[in-house]
């Protein structure tokens, strides 16, 4: 049987929102949640997407689907999906039209203490200190 290939969706939420909702800012934890969800199901992550307010008709969303390297999209939860896309309803409709599943991992978010928030802040605010774009 062929592997199910997954594209993960994370939200590129501004650092200014770290205190309000740290998980929305922490793209690494979002991607890790999606990867854990995929691994638990025996799926393989073939693409990691990170964006903010992306239009559902943006061709970059569909490149891997059109190339046949993505079978489904997964986001950590509905909050992340709503932040990543300009219209979840339109994106869902396009997924359905193309026969691509859209899932949410729905796993527990990490509990952010001051040290975890500081780590996220440091990673995102100091590119020369090791920020790798995720």
């Amino acid at each position: 049987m062929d592997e199910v290939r997954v594209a993960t969706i994370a939200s590129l939420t501004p650092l200014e929102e770290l205190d309000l909702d740290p998980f929305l800012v922490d793209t690494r934890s979002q991607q890790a949640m999606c990867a854990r969800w995929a691994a638990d199901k025996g799926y393989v992550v073939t693409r990691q997407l990170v964006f903010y307010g992306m239009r559902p008709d943006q061709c970059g969303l569909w490149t891997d689907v059109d190339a046949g390297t993505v079978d489904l999209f997964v986001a950590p939860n509905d909050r992340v999906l709503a932040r990543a896309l300009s219209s979840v309803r339109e994106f869902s409709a396009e997924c359905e039209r193309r026969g691509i599943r859209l899932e949410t991992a729905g796993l527990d978010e990490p509990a952010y203490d001051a040290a975890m928030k500081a780590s996220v802040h440091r990673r995102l605010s100091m590119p020369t200190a090791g920020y790798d774009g995720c």
Side-chain angles (χ1 to χ4, degrees):
M1 182 175 167
D2 292 328
E3 291 182 314
V4 175
R5 298 155 304 176
V6 177
T8 63
I9 297 174
S11 67
L12 188 60
T13 299
L15 183 57
E16 291 79 24
E17 296 187 32
L18 181 62
D19 286 328
L20 181 64
D21 195 340
F23 186 67
L24 282 180
V25 176
D26 187 2
T27 56
R28 282 188 182 171
S29 290
Q30 292 174 38
Q31 294 289 2
M33 181 185 290
C34 291
R36 189 169 53 251
W37 178 89
D40 288 350
K41 297 193 172 303
Y43 300 164
V44 61
V45 173
T46 58
R47 184 77 158 149
Q48 291 183 327
L49 304 169
V50 181
F51 40 80
Y52 180 82
M54 180 73 71
R55 289 184 10 218
D57 63 349
Q58 171 58 267
C59 64
L61 278 171
W62 305 104
T63 301
D64 297 311
V65 171
D66 294 340
T69 59
V70 166
D71 301 307
L72 73 89
F73 290 102
V74 64
N77 56 40
D78 290 331
R79 259 182 22 262
V80 170
L81 199 55
R83 187 59 64 96
L85 299 162
S86 64
S87 173
V88 175
R89 184 188 58 76
E90 289 176 23
F91 183 70
S92 297
E94 185 62 16
C95 285
E96 187 174 328
R97 187 186 76 73
R98 291 173 177 256
I100 300 297
R101 288 179 22 218
L102 174 60
E103 303 278 348
T104 54
L107 303 175
D108 290 336
E109 294 179 18
Y112 289 86
D113 59 15
M116 285 181 64
K117 286 181 185 180
S119 176
V120 172
H121 187 276
R122 187 171 37 259
R123 179 170 40 87
L124 296 177
S125 66
M126 298 174 24
T128 59
Y131 174 61
D132 64 0
C134 294

